[in-house]
Amino acid sequence: MEFDAVVIGGGLAGLSCAVSLAEQGHRTAVVSAGQSALYFSSGSLDLLSSLPDGTPVASPPEALAALARQAPRHPYSLLGAREVMARADEAQALLARCDIALTGSSGQNHQRITPLGTRRATWLSPGDVPITPWDGALPWQKVAVIGIEGFLDFEASIVAASLMAEQGIHADTACLRLPALDRLRASPSEFRAVNIARVLDLPENIPALAAELARLAGDAQCLILPACVGLDSAQPLEQLRALLDRPVYLLPTLPPSLLGIRLFQALRRRLNRLGGVFMPGDKVLKARFAGRRIVSLSTRNHADIPVRARQVVLASGSFFSNGLTATRERIYEPVFGLDVQGGEARDTWSRADFFAPQPYLQFGVETDDRLRALLGGEPLENLYAIGAVLGGYDPLSQGCGAGVSLVSALHAAGRIAVTLEKDHEPTL
């Protein structure tokens, strides 16, 4: 099998890179070992929410110079502020072309309401999630937070208490009981957000759902529900809003996250429409090199059929996705044996305070300033590393995981596209 580019990893970074390359007419394949980390995502995307010293970031462009001083090996610092902001805007446009409705701007963070009812700074949020301006508040005086009887992945009382304490709005709670869910509720292991949505999204169940929500909400100006409506499209939620004649918003639940799944599905649909190849349940096992260049890949499902690509992108994720592997002695990248930043001494991997920023979150593959992966201190000619496999940043404490994924993905896609186009230029 021959491709212009092969992307290893089917998460946010890998799919975004593959979509961008496919949009430019390059034959692209994605090798995805398992369920994407997007299934565990809130659906909101962070660009930069905090500097390494803990300073909150209201405007990411204004904070990039300070970030470069505090974290010179951060992927944003390697790429430079101009490239970061250009790729961030490009990412927002790409997501829009994938029919992903998001609210926000790269120039100014806003605050999203979390599943605990608190606020968290972010860059882009699904239109179904309640948000506030950076220093603003929700526009309602009275809201109803509605849980679902027997659903343990969302606690309405915690959300309501936080809204009242932090924003001073009146928040009532209620529990939805709907006969259509009784069969599903009988099996606790099956009573999860995705399965609930498959029932509630059925057209015949929408009127009964709307009637029960209207009864529970009373005179509340807005309803807040767990994200258990609208798995495949926004239409069921729009129907609810029309029947209730008031705003209805969703909050993410414990995984699997409906909002994250919708993001994954939209990116994959876009890739498929563009002719890209998605290889689910497959895994790259090893590579064959010619000098500093990768010439082919071997995968678990195509052991005797080499996958050849002129350009390769490593978007395999961090420890969670097995893009990095830890033993008691060392941390390494398992496919190519690339240089890894961090992990030299085991006692430096973590801190005793569970809530403190953990050093291991900044471990990852070393690259040059073009994001070409390093092996033996030198960049490989046709291997880019993007997303969570990169080192030099803490996606949690710095609030930049999705931003690094998207910015690095589109940077790599841009450089690869230029290289492929040069390869196709006729020689005189």
Side-chain angles (χ1 to χ4, degrees), residues 110-114 118 125-132 138 140 163 222-225 248-252:
H110 61 267
Q111 306 270 4
R112 65 177 175 92
I113 305 299
T114 73
T118 56
S125 290
D128 297 337
V129 172
I131 64 172
T132 74
L138 292 173
W140 312 290
L163 293 177
C222 169
L223 282 75
I224 296 177
L225 312 176
V248 181
Y249 286 97
L250 305 177
L251 290 182

Side-chain angles (χ1 to χ4, degrees), residues 90-276:
E90 184 182 331
Q92 196 162 347
L94 181 145
L95 293 170
R97 293 193 297 274
C98 296
D99 298 323
I100 301 170
L102 298 169
T103 299
S105 164
S106 61
Q108 177 68 49
N109 282 330
H110 61 267
Q111 306 270 4
R112 65 177 175 92
I113 305 299
T114 73
L116 298 178
T118 56
R119 295 195 303 166
R120 179 180 173 87
T122 194
W123 165 34
L124 299 172
S125 290
D128 297 337
V129 172
I131 64 172
T132 74
W134 173 259
D135 54 359
L138 292 173
W140 312 290
Q141 295 301 312
K142 185 175 183 180
V143 303
V145 184
I146 312 294
I148 300 175
E149 183 183 33
F151 182 55
L152 303 180
D153 295 347
F154 179 84
E155 184 52 63
S157 61
I158 295 176
V159 176
S162 295
L163 293 177
M164 290 190 286
E166 294 193 5
Q167 301 198 46
I169 61 177
H170 184 83
D172 290 325
T173 62
C175 193
L176 175 69
R177 298 173 178 87
L178 206 64
L181 294 174
D182 288 346
R183 181 186 60 80
L184 192 61
R185 190 181 291 108
S187 175
S189 64
E190 295 296 318
F191 204 52
R192 309 301 294 274
V194 172
N195 294 332
I196 293 171
R198 291 193 177 107
V199 174
L200 296 182
D201 288 354
L202 294 173
E204 60 266 28
N205 290 332
I206 296 293
L209 174 60
E212 181 64 7
L213 289 175
R215 185 185 71 81
L216 295 173
D219 61 351
Q221 299 166 290
C222 169
L223 282 75
I224 296 177
L225 312 176
C228 298
V229 180
L231 175 60
D232 296 317
S233 75
Q235 185 176 3
L237 190 60
E238 292 301 326
Q239 289 177 312
L240 275 182
R241 288 170 174 158
L243 291 169
L244 292 165
D245 195 27
R246 70 189 93 180
V248 181
Y249 286 97
L250 305 177
L251 290 182
T253 68
L254 291 175
S257 164
L258 180 143
L259 297 170
I261 291 172
R262 283 200 327 213
L263 184 56
F264 169 80
Q265 290 174 336
L267 286 164
R268 183 172 172 179
R269 280 196 300 267
R270 177 70 171 164
L271 179 65
N272 289 342
R273 286 197 298 266
L274 293 166

